Amino acid sequence: MNHENAPGGRVVVDNLPASGLTTAGGPRAATGEIEDVLAGHDQVAQAVVVPWPRAGEGTGPPAAGDGTRLVAYVVPTPDAAGGEALADAQVDEWQQIYDRLYGASPSTALGDNFAGWNSSYDRRPIDLDEMRKWRSATVERVLELGPRRVLEIGAGSGLLLSRIAPECESYWATDLSPVAVDDLARHVGDDPRLAGRVTLRAQGADRVDGLPAGYFDTVVVNSVVQLFPGPRYLATVIDRALTLLAPGGALFLGDIRDLRTVEYLRAAVALHRDDGADADAVVRAARRSRAREEELLVHPGYFTALADAHPAVAGIDIQLKRGDYHNELSRHRYDVVLHKAPAAVEDVSGCRTLGWGTEVKDIADLAGRLAATTPPVRVTGIPNARLTGETAAWRALAEGDAARARRLLTRPAGDAADARTPDPHAVTSQAAGSHTPGPHAAGPHALDPHALTDVAARTGLHVSLVPDLDRPDRFEAVFTRPHRTRTALTGTCRPASAAPRDLTEIPAVTHRADALTARLRAWLDDRLPAHLVPAAVVTLDALPRRPDGTVDRGSLPEPGPADPAARRPPTPPGPRTEADRTPYPPAAVPPHAVPPAAEAPYRS
């Protein structure tokens, strides 16, 4: 059954065998009737209905038979819950925001404009000393790559350019905001160290026209990814940046917002702003705050999967933010380096491991073991002191105790029961986070990651501080020999033991997709008999197709439980639109499958 002329120009495709669910017109009429109803909704571009086994009765869409439940797969119209039009609109909106921000900023020396860096916890500017430490640590990481010919995508006010460009032969910088580029041009023209080596261009991150392919040894994309409109855009930027790199070059992606810890952050914000509110009110506020998040959140597993799948990537290094300060930048963000093939890399994924708290008791014990051990060595299971207060407070909220949650934000060691590691996917609250406890607010077994930098310095080693992908409140430390010229590392961050449910998300867009799903369920309830109403409605960016154009039913994602409540906590229920969520692994849109610049349209 092929409904090519559905109302409003929508295309509804059905290429289904019979199921045990029928109407008077036969089994195909059952799914066709549902698709006709969906086609009548003005926010549906395409739809297909598939029978799936009920929970516990096998996997994969059945060819026929009873014991099935109907699942509707819907591609929304561009203005409904995502899509290219909305993505372009989001990029345009960010451009307007930053045009206004840079236009209104006071005149400062190049590299001193930290305007717009405000804390989520109290809306006030982040401490200037902490911002300078953040910038210094980022500059240090980039300079470790030995840059000579650099491209910075999203240069902003020149925070990195001002420190890195004087050390380079050539420094190209782009930004979405023409206002920012004009201001940078004025500063560069006034500085004789920069005037002959800096080239500026106003263009989006996904544009590479005018940039020399295979020329740069380092491409920097720092604190920009969170503004991207979705994983497809991110994959496009990464793929095109790799084409600009010379073989052996490095792509530095800095300040990536961690999808795994957003629950902690949002609950902490709610606790900080709603002083005196009970736990239920705080959790509701945290949920509302999360649903309004318009920035792209990325699980570190996205990058490990990308590195495994992308033929141009020789190695990947994922690390926590460096620094002895505790704020949302050090807690909830991380850095990624992708090395372009061919490249000489040292793979530390299988190096010797020592368990923190079991084989290694404390810092002194660690220093002694490192002195007696040949590197590389990985220390695992280290509780992250930056997050200890947040996770303990999050658990207290989940247990209904807001007063204790507030105490634990600044005194997380005050209750031994809260030393347990909270799992944000194991409780019913969406709460999570912390306001800003100091470096010494951690429990007795937690460790400030920066402390291991000091240990490495004392033992003459280099340390990489990396996320533990199985436990967001833990981290690992990989100690390696220092090199006169830093050897590129790969395998610093080990893949999760189980595939994450989501690898990327823009919560606000996810929220809109969930709202669309609810509207479609109500639409179907009003127009179909109860036995024909699908058990689930799944929104997709596109329906998977075979070479002959028919729907590839075997590639449709398996729906979650029929009862939404069974999969709702602690994050909004999936599945999501593909524009705002990446399944594991992100094989549906291989990064290397993105068309090259010359074949793809660019936004202006």
Side-chain angles (χ1 to χ4, degrees):
M1 183 176 297
N2 194 337
H3 304 274
E4 292 292 343
N5 297 313
R10 292 177 292 277
V11 179
V12 183
V13 180
D14 174 17
N15 183 37
L16 305 175
S19 76
L21 296 153
T22 65
T23 65
R28 287 183 179 269
T31 55
E33 181 179 349
I34 301 167
E35 290 165 354
D36 286 339
V37 173
L38 285 168
H41 196 285
D42 62 4
Q43 291 185 314
V44 173
Q46 296 175 308
V48 65
V49 178
V50 179
W52 278 83
R54 296 189 183 278
E57 298 181 9
T59 60
D66 296 324
T68 60
R69 59 189 176 113
L70 292 175
V71 177
Y73 294 89
V74 173
V75 178
T77 56
D79 60 342
E84 294 297 326
L86 190 60
D88 282 348
Q90 183 177 340
V91 173
D92 289 339
E93 183 177 359
W94 282 123
Q95 176 183 335
Q96 295 168 21
I97 289 171
Y98 280 93
D99 280 347
R100 291 194 298 270
L101 174 66
Y102 294 128
S105 296
S107 180
T108 60
L110 179 62
D112 284 345
N113 183 2
F114 290 95
W117 290 90
N118 296 330
S119 169
S120 297
Y121 304 116
D122 56 17
R123 301 189 179 97
R124 294 196 294 266
I126 297 174
D127 179 79
L128 189 57
D129 183 55
E130 292 180 357
M131 287 306 310
R132 287 174 174 150
K133 289 180 178 180
W134 166 87
R135 191 255 304 277
S136 295
T138 303
V139 169
E140 178 183 52
R141 286 222 61 195
V142 174
L143 291 179
E144 285 178 355
L145 301 173
R148 304 306 301 163
R149 299 182 304 279
V150 175
L151 167 65
E152 183 183 359
I153 297 174
S157 63
L159 295 177
L160 301 188
L161 180 154
S162 62
R163 301 303 191 268
I164 299 174
E167 308 298 325
C168 301
E169 298 171 4
S170 174
Y171 197 101
W172 292 54
T174 70
D175 198 90
L176 182 66
S177 168
V179 175
V181 171
D182 288 345
D183 190 58
L184 283 175
R186 177 176 59 82
H187 283 293
V188 167
D190 292 341
D191 190 335
R193 300 176 306 156
L194 304 178
R197 69 183 74 192
V198 174
T199 302
L200 302 172
R201 298 179 66 89
Q203 58 192 59
D206 61 334
R207 288 183 52 189
V208 295
D209 50 313
L211 302 175
Y215 170 74
F216 302 100
D217 56 43
T218 308
V219 175
V220 177
V221 185
N222 188 64
S223 206
V224 175
V225 167
Q226 71 271 18
L227 307 182
F228 291 174
R232 287 179 180 270
Y233 191 97
L234 172 59
T236 300
V237 171
I238 290 173
D239 195 68
R240 293 176 179 170
L242 288 169
T243 68
L244 301 176
L245 281 171
L251 170 57
F252 177 85
L253 299 156
D255 247 21
I256 309 297
R257 289 196 60 189
D258 197 337
L259 173 60
R260 304 173 306 151
T261 63
V262 65
E263 312 293 344
Y264 305 148
L265 171 63
R266 285 298 141 200
V269 169
L271 282 167
H272 191 62
R273 294 181 181 177
D274 296 327
D275 189 27
D278 62 24
D280 286 344
V282 172
V283 169
R284 288 195 299 272
R287 287 174 174 167
R288 290 193 300 270
S289 176
R290 189 191 196 284
R292 291 193 296 267
E293 280 269 10
E294 293 280 0
E295 295 187 346
L296 178 62
L297 313 174
V298 187
H299 191 295
Y302 172 92
F303 296 101
T304 59
L306 181 149
D308 287 341
H310 203 302
V313 176
I316 179 171
D317 180 16
I318 303 177
Q319 297 194 31
L320 303 179
K321 302 297 293 184
R322 296 178 182 174
D324 61 356
Y325 60 94
H326 285 208
N327 62 28
E328 64 191 280
L329 300 180
S330 63
R331 292 190 188 107
H332 301 289
R333 304 196 182 198
Y334 60 93
D335 298 331
V336 178
V337 177
L338 299 175
H339 298 281
K340 182 174 179 178
V345 295
E346 178 183 1
D347 188 352
V348 297
S349 59
C351 68
R352 179 186 177 186
T353 62
L354 298 171
W356 182 261
T358 54
E359 296 165 282
V360 178
K361 303 302 182 184
D362 53 31
I363 288 286
D365 186 23
L366 174 61
R369 287 180 174 269
L370 290 174
T373 303
T374 301
V377 177
R378 181 188 302 269
V379 183
T380 64
I382 310 170
N384 189 343
R386 296 171 179 172
L387 289 169
T388 305
E390 299 184 343
T391 55
W394 184 86
R395 177 175 290 280
L397 270 184
E399 296 171 351
D401 193 339
R404 185 159 59 94
R406 291 187 179 88
R407 291 196 302 272
L408 289 168
L409 281 176
T410 53
R411 300 184 62 185
D415 189 338
D418 291 294
R420 300 168 295 169
T421 300
D423 178 359
H425 298 290
V427 297
T428 57
S429 169
Q430 285 189 340
S434 165
H435 71 283
T436 310
H440 304 292
H445 301 296
L447 191 65
D448 188 326
H450 185 72
L452 294 182
T453 304
D454 296 335
V455 173
R458 293 199 304 270
T459 55
L461 297 174
H462 177 272
V463 65
S464 299
L465 307 170
V466 303
D468 181 335
L469 296 198
D470 287 327
R471 305 180 74 176
D473 68 327
R474 302 294 173 102
F475 72 101
E476 299 182 346
V478 180
F479 292 88
T480 55
R481 296 183 188 277
H483 297 273
R484 185 180 301 275
T485 300
R486 286 289 304 147
T487 298
L489 296 178
T490 189
T492 51
C493 185
R494 299 184 295 178
S497 58
R501 189 186 76 171
D502 295 332
L503 289 181
T504 66
E505 185 184 0
I506 300 177
V509 181
T510 292
H511 182 70
R512 290 193 287 271
D514 290 338
L516 172 62
T517 298
R519 290 195 297 273
L520 293 178
R521 289 297 301 270
W523 175 269
L524 294 169
D525 285 340
D526 289 343
R527 290 162 176 80
L528 291 172
H531 72 283
L532 289 184
V533 175
V537 177
V538 179
T539 54
L540 299 173
D541 189 47
L543 296 175
R545 304 279 182 175
R546 299 189 183 96
D548 63 3
T550 58
V551 176
D552 184 357
R553 297 170 59 248
S555 296
L556 289 167
E558 183 175 359
D563 178 8
R567 56 185 166 85
R568 179 168 294 274
T571 54
R576 315 290 186 215
T577 59
E578 289 297 319
D580 312 300
R581 170 189 179 198
T582 303
Y584 188 96
V589 189
H592 53 276
V594 177
E599 301 173 15
Y602 294 117
R603 54 168 307 287
S604 167

